Amino acid sequence: MKVAFGDSKVATADGATPVVEAAGVRFKWRRQDAFELNIPAFKIDPRERVLMIGPSGSGKSTFLSLLCGIAVPDAGEIRIMGTSLTSIPGSQRDRFRADHLGIIFQMFNLVPYLSCLENVLLPLGFAPKRNERAGGKAGAPAEAKRLLDRLGLDPAVFADKPASRMSVGQQQRVAAARALIGRPDLIIADEPTSSLDRDTQLAFVGLLQEEVAAAGSALLMVSHDVSLSPMFDRVVPLKDITRPVAEAA
Ligand code: ADP
Ligand code: MG
């Protein structure tokens, strides 16, 4: 089935369409006059692993919200797999996000009373294409357990455990499995390692990267830890892609 939104191209899996293309993006939070994000151009290629760095409060999470379509730019355009997020209505944007993006939030945002397995399967309920790629109703639970296992959580022990009873490090792995299931085109991770010690952090990023590569996804991770740089194809300081507000007029 082909789905086209507005004037946008149909997303292709041929590797030619950039996963992310942002052009002329400007954004201000309401009643936050001091802060404006102004990004003339930014691109992520298929399978590319990008580390974004920058000081606290500089707009990294805001930029990720724009890429996810959770916030909408005041000007400019954001395309994910060739589809313009700015030209599709909110309800389609939600489904588009669920189909194409896997998101690891800073606080993980697991549903505390659901089990690990239920948390991992959660995004598939809103994402028909991704659900199909994960094996559909019959195959997805096995795929979820495979991912938990690969990320170091034995499904025999953890699958039925409520998320609220997991340690921070374990919750992070569940959040990673939830982002990876159904091979979305892009995994977005907002400082997912900030609450971990260094060894745990390196091990987590290593595992995440292996599974990102296996899924054929691209990865955009935000971190303040530049020592992670060698594990990525490209390091992007946010200030290098933004134009200061003063110059922007
Ligand atoms: P970073 O992730 O780099 O620490 P943020 O994107 O969180 O930076 O914040 C950039 C600016 O936007 C800050 O001034 C912050 O206060 C503001 N901001 C972030 N989120 C919101 C929001 N939901 N509503 C209003 N202002 C926000
Ligand atoms: Mg942030």
Side-chain angles (χ1 to χ4, degrees):
M1 187 180 64
K2 285 193 170 184
V3 184
F5 298 116
D7 67 345
S8 56
K9 290 177 286 178
V10 175
T12 61
D14 61 11
T17 309
V19 174
V20 173
E21 290 168 283
V25 169
R26 298 183 65 152
F27 178 79
K28 265 170 112 82
W29 291 107
R30 263 182 230 165
R31 293 185 292 278
Q32 282 274 352
D33 281 343
F35 174 80
E36 178 171 16
L37 202 58
N38 182 336
I39 301 192
F42 178 72
K43 183 165 88 85
I44 298 178
D45 285 325
R47 293 175 164 267
E48 197 179 13
R49 297 162 306 168
V50 178
L51 179 67
M52 178 164 281
I53 54 175
S56 177
S58 61
K60 304 180 299 298
S61 295
T62 299
F63 185 48
L64 296 186
S65 301
L66 291 165
L67 294 183
C68 295
I70 293 168
V72 179
D74 302 322
E77 190 178 31
I78 292 170
R79 288 179 174 253
I80 303 291
M81 297 303 291
T83 289
S84 175
L85 283 184
T86 33
S87 67
I88 58 181
S91 56
Q92 285 182 16
R93 207 183 303 129
D94 292 343
R95 202 180 56 206
F96 184 84
R97 177 193 311 126
D99 263 328
H100 295 278
L101 304 181
I103 307 170
I104 307 175
F105 294 96
Q106 194 162 10
M107 308 308 291
F108 313 134
N109 296 15
L110 299 180
V111 180
Y113 54 84
L114 294 183
S115 71
C116 285
L117 186 65
E118 289 165 331
N119 268 285
V120 175
L121 293 171
L122 207 55
L124 303 181
F126 317 100
K129 282 188 247 173
R130 204 169 149 190
N131 185 40
E132 224 169 273
R133 287 196 300 269
K137 214 177 161 79
E143 173 61 4
K145 286 180 184 174
R146 185 193 70 80
L147 280 166
L148 286 171
D149 199 30
R150 285 289 303 138
L151 289 159
L153 296 175
D154 179 356
V157 178
F158 292 103
D160 297 326
K161 216 173 173 175
S164 58
R165 302 234 313 268
M166 313 280 286
S167 74
V168 173
Q170 290 166 344
Q171 287 184 33
Q172 178 195 46
R173 284 150 200 259
V174 176
R178 185 178 62 179
L180 286 159
I181 195 161
R183 303 193 305 274
D185 300 295
L186 176 66
I187 305 290
I188 286 182
D190 195 354
E191 307 204 44
T193 61
S194 54
S195 54
L196 300 179
D197 65 68
R198 188 160 168 73
D199 287 350
T200 317
Q201 181 172 316
L202 284 178
F204 172 76
V205 177
L207 283 174
L208 177 64
Q209 296 236 1
E210 276 175 30
E211 286 310 301
V212 164
S217 309
L219 172 65
L220 174 59
M221 188 171 129
V222 164
S223 175
H224 50 258
D225 185 354
V226 289
S227 73
L228 296 173
S229 303
M231 301 176 86
F232 289 80
D233 300 316
R234 185 154 60 103
V235 179
V236 179
L238 182 65
K239 69 173 166 40
D240 287 7
I241 59 161
T242 51
R243 197 177 287 168
V245 179
E247 287 175 30

mmCIF file of all heavy atoms in Angstrom, residues 29 32 35 55-62, ligand 1:
data_model
loop_
_atom_site.group_PDB
_atom_site.id
_atom_site.type_symbol
_atom_site.label_atom_id
_atom_site.label_comp_id
_atom_site.label_asym_id
_atom_site.label_seq_id
_atom_site.Cartn_x
_atom_site.Cartn_y
_atom_site.Cartn_z
ATOM 1 N N TRP A 29 9.411 28.863 21.715
ATOM 2 C CA TRP A 29 8.358 28.474 22.649
ATOM 3 C C TRP A 29 7.544 29.711 22.992
ATOM 4 O O TRP A 29 8.111 30.801 23.088
ATOM 5 C CB TRP A 29 8.949 27.893 23.935
ATOM 6 C CG TRP A 29 9.618 26.566 23.772
ATOM 7 C CD1 TRP A 29 10.967 26.322 23.804
ATOM 8 C CD2 TRP A 29 8.990 25.293 23.583
ATOM 9 N NE1 TRP A 29 11.216 24.981 23.633
ATOM 10 C CE2 TRP A 29 10.016 24.327 23.498
ATOM 11 C CE3 TRP A 29 7.660 24.867 23.468
ATOM 12 C CZ2 TRP A 29 9.758 22.965 23.309
ATOM 13 C CZ3 TRP A 29 7.411 23.511 23.284
ATOM 14 C CH2 TRP A 29 8.447 22.580 23.208
ATOM 15 N N GLN A 32 8.652 32.631 25.700
ATOM 16 C CA GLN A 32 10.083 32.384 25.962
ATOM 17 C C GLN A 32 10.864 33.226 24.961
ATOM 18 O O GLN A 32 11.447 32.710 24.010
ATOM 19 C CB GLN A 32 10.419 30.902 25.730
ATOM 20 C CG GLN A 32 10.013 29.977 26.836
ATOM 21 C CD GLN A 32 11.067 29.893 27.915
ATOM 22 O OE1 GLN A 32 12.169 30.415 27.774
ATOM 23 N NE2 GLN A 32 10.734 29.257 29.012
ATOM 24 N N PHE A 35 14.738 32.708 23.854
ATOM 25 C CA PHE A 35 15.204 31.520 23.147
ATOM 26 C C PHE A 35 14.561 31.398 21.774
ATOM 27 O O PHE A 35 13.342 31.442 21.653
ATOM 28 C CB PHE A 35 14.887 30.269 23.975
ATOM 29 C CG PHE A 35 15.206 28.989 23.258
ATOM 30 C CD1 PHE A 35 16.507 28.507 23.205
ATOM 31 C CD2 PHE A 35 14.208 28.271 22.628
ATOM 32 C CE1 PHE A 35 16.800 27.331 22.538
ATOM 33 C CE2 PHE A 35 14.498 27.081 21.952
ATOM 34 C CZ PHE A 35 15.794 26.615 21.916
ATOM 35 N N PRO A 55 25.542 22.614 25.253
ATOM 36 C CA PRO A 55 25.262 22.888 26.657
ATOM 37 C C PRO A 55 23.775 22.778 26.992
ATOM 38 O O PRO A 55 22.917 22.868 26.107
ATOM 39 C CB PRO A 55 25.769 24.325 26.863
ATOM 40 C CG PRO A 55 26.073 24.869 25.529
ATOM 41 C CD PRO A 55 26.119 23.752 24.546
ATOM 42 N N SER A 56 23.526 22.589 28.272
ATOM 43 C CA SER A 56 22.159 22.499 28.769
ATOM 44 C C SER A 56 21.395 23.791 28.453
ATOM 45 O O SER A 56 21.944 24.878 28.580
ATOM 46 C CB SER A 56 22.231 22.261 30.281
ATOM 47 O OG SER A 56 20.959 22.240 30.814
ATOM 48 N N GLY A 57 20.180 23.668 27.993
ATOM 49 C CA GLY A 57 19.359 24.830 27.677
ATOM 50 C C GLY A 57 19.592 25.404 26.295
ATOM 51 O O GLY A 57 18.998 26.409 25.910
ATOM 52 N N SER A 58 20.459 24.747 25.492
ATOM 53 C CA SER A 58 20.776 25.313 24.174
ATOM 54 C C SER A 58 19.760 24.921 23.106
ATOM 55 O O SER A 58 19.796 25.456 21.997
ATOM 56 C CB SER A 58 22.198 24.912 23.749
ATOM 57 O OG SER A 58 22.331 23.518 23.652
ATOM 58 N N GLY A 59 18.856 23.985 23.416
ATOM 59 C CA GLY A 59 17.780 23.680 22.467
ATOM 60 C C GLY A 59 17.830 22.291 21.858
ATOM 61 O O GLY A 59 17.112 22.003 20.905
ATOM 62 N N LYS A 60 18.642 21.399 22.425
ATOM 63 C CA LYS A 60 18.775 20.055 21.850
ATOM 64 C C LYS A 60 17.437 19.298 21.912
ATOM 65 O O LYS A 60 16.989 18.743 20.914
ATOM 66 C CB LYS A 60 19.874 19.268 22.580
ATOM 67 C CG LYS A 60 21.228 19.960 22.585
ATOM 68 C CD LYS A 60 22.285 19.152 23.310
ATOM 69 C CE LYS A 60 22.005 18.888 24.777
ATOM 70 N NZ LYS A 60 21.918 20.094 25.633
ATOM 71 N N SER A 61 16.821 19.303 23.091
ATOM 72 C CA SER A 61 15.545 18.578 23.231
ATOM 73 C C SER A 61 14.457 19.228 22.385
ATOM 74 O O SER A 61 13.609 18.538 21.810
ATOM 75 C CB SER A 61 15.104 18.540 24.698
ATOM 76 O OG SER A 61 16.015 17.802 25.468
ATOM 77 N N THR A 62 14.493 20.551 22.301
ATOM 78 C CA THR A 62 13.527 21.262 21.454
ATOM 79 C C THR A 62 13.669 20.807 20.000
ATOM 80 O O THR A 62 12.677 20.531 19.320
ATOM 81 C CB THR A 62 13.758 22.787 21.559
ATOM 82 O OG1 THR A 62 13.564 23.183 22.917
ATOM 83 C CG2 THR A 62 12.804 23.557 20.663
HETATM 84 P P1 ADP B 1 18.539 21.315 26.017
HETATM 85 O O1 ADP B 1 17.825 20.052 25.684
HETATM 86 O O2 ADP B 1 19.692 21.617 25.107
HETATM 87 O O3 ADP B 1 18.962 21.355 27.455
HETATM 88 P P2 ADP B 1 15.932 22.570 25.707
HETATM 89 O O4 ADP B 1 15.525 22.336 24.302
HETATM 90 O O5 ADP B 1 15.321 21.707 26.748
HETATM 91 O O6 ADP B 1 17.533 22.534 25.808
HETATM 92 O O7 ADP B 1 15.612 24.061 26.098
HETATM 93 C C1 ADP B 1 15.875 25.176 25.246
HETATM 94 C C2 ADP B 1 15.065 26.377 25.743
HETATM 95 O O8 ADP B 1 13.684 26.140 25.531
HETATM 96 C C3 ADP B 1 15.243 26.675 27.224
HETATM 97 O O9 ADP B 1 15.230 28.067 27.360
HETATM 98 C C4 ADP B 1 14.014 26.041 27.838
HETATM 99 O O10 ADP B 1 13.638 26.703 29.005
HETATM 100 C C5 ADP B 1 12.981 26.227 26.751
HETATM 101 N N1 ADP B 1 11.968 25.132 26.762
HETATM 102 C C6 ADP B 1 12.223 23.805 26.627
HETATM 103 N N2 ADP B 1 11.077 23.099 26.644
HETATM 104 C C7 ADP B 1 10.074 24.000 26.783
HETATM 105 C C8 ADP B 1 8.632 23.899 26.863
HETATM 106 N N3 ADP B 1 8.012 22.717 26.778
HETATM 107 N N4 ADP B 1 7.935 25.052 27.015
HETATM 108 C C9 ADP B 1 8.541 26.248 27.089
HETATM 109 N N5 ADP B 1 9.885 26.414 27.016
HETATM 110 C C10 ADP B 1 10.652 25.311 26.870
#
